[in-house]
Amino acid sequence: MVIAFRLGDIVRLRKPHPCGSYEWRVVRLGADIGLRCLKCDRRVLLARSELERRLKAFVARGENQPSPEAPSGE
Ligand SMILES: [Zn+2]
């Protein structure tokens, strides 16, 4: 089953980041999914299949389309 990630989704993973947070925001979509840690602000790239394996739950869903005013993330 394919999970439809959206920009701005807040996801909870099965294992915590070293900083202690389980929650991440989706900041980039593609073959690899860009995630930003909500606690320490670190960015990582995960293969979509890897993220699907690690995903525990959606905490919040993002917009269907990215907002033009959305920060670039850099
Ligand atoms: Zn972190």
Side-chain angles (χ1 to χ4, degrees):
M1 182 161 79
V2 174
I3 300 171
F5 293 104
R6 297 177 191 163
L7 285 176
D9 282 349
I10 308 297
V11 296
R12 177 177 287 261
L13 303 188
R14 295 180 189 281
K15 288 188 176 175
H17 197 229
C19 75
S21 175
Y22 287 83
E23 295 178 0
W24 300 76
R25 180 190 304 275
V26 175
V27 295
R28 189 193 122 150
L29 295 175
D32 291 334
I33 308 287
L35 297 175
R36 184 186 292 278
C37 179
L38 289 191
K39 187 171 176 186
C40 70
D41 228 31
R42 185 140 332 167
R43 271 183 84 169
V44 301
L45 276 178
L46 279 182
R48 181 178 289 264
S49 57
E50 181 73 19
L51 178 57
E52 288 176 0
R53 254 204 315 276
R54 295 193 192 183
L55 178 70
K56 181 155 188 182
F58 283 100
V59 177
R61 297 310 306 262
E63 304 292 333
N64 263 321
Q65 302 196 342
S67 157
E69 293 86 22
S72 70
E74 297 305 332

